[in-house]
Amino acid sequence: MDIHTNIPLKNFTTMKLGGNARFMTEVHTPEEVVAVYRNAKAQSLPVFILGGGSNVIAKDEGFAGIVIRMRILGFEIIADDLNSTTIRIGAGENWDETVKRTVDMHLSGIEALSAIPGTAGASPVQNVGAYGQEIADTLESLVAYDTENDTFVTLQKADCGFSYRHSIFRGNQTGRYIITSITLTLSKTNPQPPFYKALQAYFDEHSIGIFTQDIVRKAVIDIRTNKLPDPDVFPNTGSFFKNAIVEDWQLDDLRSINPDIPIYDMGDGHFKVPTGWLIEQTGLKGKVLHGIKIHDKNALVLINESAASYRDLADARDEIIGAVRDKFKIQIEQEPLEI
Ligand code: EPU
């Protein structure tokens, strides 16, 4: 196993910013995870697990520890019956290739999560979601190295504390578990309406009335290609902010600011307000702040056009957060993690 020194994190994160990792290595097996972790611990080095780097922002000071690039592969059917197939997927598998393989097998459950950059092992961390599906819907369990007890554990879905764009892995257990595989149970039934609004609009526009996994995948890829900039060409991390969650006592106030405000009832006393809409209302959509462009097709996305540093990004982020707070009294939150 090679350990590399002073590696620029900007080459390993899609925002293309930030300083150096003191050390970096790749792991290809669960045993290598344990070996690297124990070594790092013996030397009191902090550890950070990196998948595709598409949801991680690196700071200018870099990382004074060891970054482990997760490369464990595997795609194994572990159960199959009339209605469903259960598959175990190595944490280092490319997420979209995983989705494609399941779609080619005519399995439903993650087809709407097509074209999301990153790795399979990262998907539970932020409970990846798009177009009406989230990983929490199909994740059965996952295997992780528990760094606290120096052992591998199987965590069931209920153990993961999933909610909108959240899990224990970025909450109160941050840094404790190194996910090595995820197990999904996917359905053999074709996708069924009702579909996410933007997806249904696409089907209507293209007169599509028969739904297969492949048709949904192609529609999602088409919608995403139009709305989300390709990170290989325009450095970005997808949605830079989470959508805002508000409570019912805030609704009247918000409607008095703009009666057209889109509000989605989450059914649990909370309401989701699209942050892209909030940012657009501040007039910042399409503008460039500190070299960071607020994407003109989707204000939730920030593109690194010419930022020199993480600091530029943080300044732009804080100005956007401030503008939304001034207009709507809502505190929006950054979505990507930071190293
Ligand atoms: N909207 C605006 N202006 C904008 C952007 C959005 O008015 O600039 C409005 C739209 O018109 C729509 C509403 O906001 O009424 C919601 O927009 P959309 O359906 O495009 O989804 P989103 O809330 O912007 C979320 C996810 C995306 C995911 C889409 C589709 C988050 C943080 N983002 O975006 O995830 O693809 O839904 O399900 O929840 C990602 O996490 O990187 C990501 C792309």
Side-chain angles (χ1 to χ4, degrees):
M1 193 182 338
D2 295 336
I3 311 253
H4 304 275
T5 318
N6 283 331
I7 302 299
L9 286 164
K10 62 165 165 273
N11 297 345
F12 294 89
T13 50
T14 60
M15 200 51 128
K16 302 254 174 285
L17 289 176
N20 290 355
R22 183 162 167 214
F23 300 111
M24 185 181 279
T25 192
E26 290 189 352
V27 291
H28 297 88
T29 63
E31 293 72 31
E32 284 182 353
V33 171
V34 178
V36 174
Y37 188 83
R38 284 185 184 155
N39 255 313
K41 198 174 169 195
Q43 297 172 60
S44 304
L45 280 177
V47 169
F48 188 88
I49 312 298
L50 196 60
S54 54
N55 203 47
V56 173
I57 310 290
K59 292 196 181 143
D60 294 329
E61 62 264 34
F63 184 66
I66 181 158
V67 171
I68 301 179
R69 295 190 70 216
M70 179 51 67
R71 304 306 286 266
I72 298 174
L73 301 181
F75 186 96
E76 196 188 341
I77 294 172
I78 56 171
D80 192 47
D81 65 24
L82 206 58
N83 301 314
S84 65
T85 301
T86 300
I87 308 174
R88 184 163 50 220
I89 301 150
E93 288 285 348
N94 175 279
W95 175 253
D96 190 53
E97 281 166 24
T98 302
V99 174
K100 183 170 187 320
R101 282 175 87 164
T102 66
V103 165
D104 289 347
M105 292 162 75
H106 306 290
L107 294 172
S108 293
I110 54 173
E111 64 279 5
L113 305 179
S114 288
I116 296 178
T119 52
S123 62
V125 176
Q126 52 155 334
N127 186 14
V128 157
Y131 302 100
Q133 290 177 347
E134 56 182 23
I135 193 71
D137 301 336
T138 44
L139 187 118
E140 184 93 24
S141 64
L142 57 80
V143 176
Y145 174 61
D146 177 357
T147 60
E148 219 167 274
N149 293 317
D150 189 25
T151 183
F152 282 94
V153 289
T154 299
L155 300 180
Q156 304 300 320
K157 184 217 299 269
D159 303 326
C160 297
F162 287 127
S163 58
Y164 167 65
R165 285 294 193 274
H166 194 71
S167 73
I168 59 165
F169 310 109
R170 61 178 295 173
N172 61 5
Q173 302 295 332
T174 299
R176 173 169 175 182
Y177 295 106
I178 301 179
I179 297 168
T180 54
S181 70
I182 62 170
T183 297
L184 307 180
T185 295
L186 302 172
S187 156
K188 294 186 181 176
T189 314
N190 271 350
Q192 304 282 338
F195 293 108
Y196 187 86
K197 206 168 142 205
L199 199 51
Q200 186 59 53
Y202 181 96
F203 292 144
D204 292 345
E205 195 188 321
H206 292 81
S207 310
I208 295 170
I210 295 170
F211 308 109
T212 64
Q213 295 81 3
D214 197 46
I215 285 170
V216 171
R217 173 171 166 79
K218 292 208 165 91
V220 167
I221 290 175
D222 209 11
I223 297 170
R224 289 185 70 101
T225 310
N226 278 316
K227 285 187 54 168
L228 295 166
D230 178 353
D232 288 337
V233 187
F234 304 100
N236 77 90
T237 57
S239 300
F240 192 84
F241 298 99
K242 295 184 195 182
N243 281 322
I245 311 286
V246 299
E247 294 181 20
D248 52 2
W249 59 267
Q250 293 168 281
L251 298 181
D252 285 348
D253 241 17
L254 289 170
R255 288 197 176 106
S256 73
I257 298 165
N258 187 329
D260 298 329
I261 188 165
I263 292 171
Y264 303 97
D265 190 344
M266 296 173 78
D268 59 356
H270 293 89
F271 299 83
K272 199 182 272 184
V273 181
T275 297
W277 185 90
L278 295 172
I279 296 172
E280 187 168 347
Q281 296 299 306
T282 68
L284 286 172
K285 190 172 181 171
K287 297 257 162 63
V288 180
L289 302 173
H290 308 277
I292 297 290
K293 179 161 185 171
I294 296 115
H295 188 34
D296 46 16
K297 289 188 186 158
N298 185 353
L300 206 52
V301 177
L302 302 186
I303 297 171
N304 172 13
E305 231 181 41
S306 59
S309 62
Y310 165 89
R311 187 34 44 210
D312 283 344
L313 172 65
D315 288 345
R317 171 196 65 199
D318 294 347
E319 282 176 40
I320 297 164
I321 291 174
V324 170
R325 194 178 44 228
D326 289 350
K327 191 166 169 87
F328 295 101
K329 297 185 185 64
I330 292 178
Q331 181 75 22
I332 58 170
E333 283 175 33
Q334 175 176 319
E335 205 255 343
L337 300 166
E338 294 196 348
I339 175 173

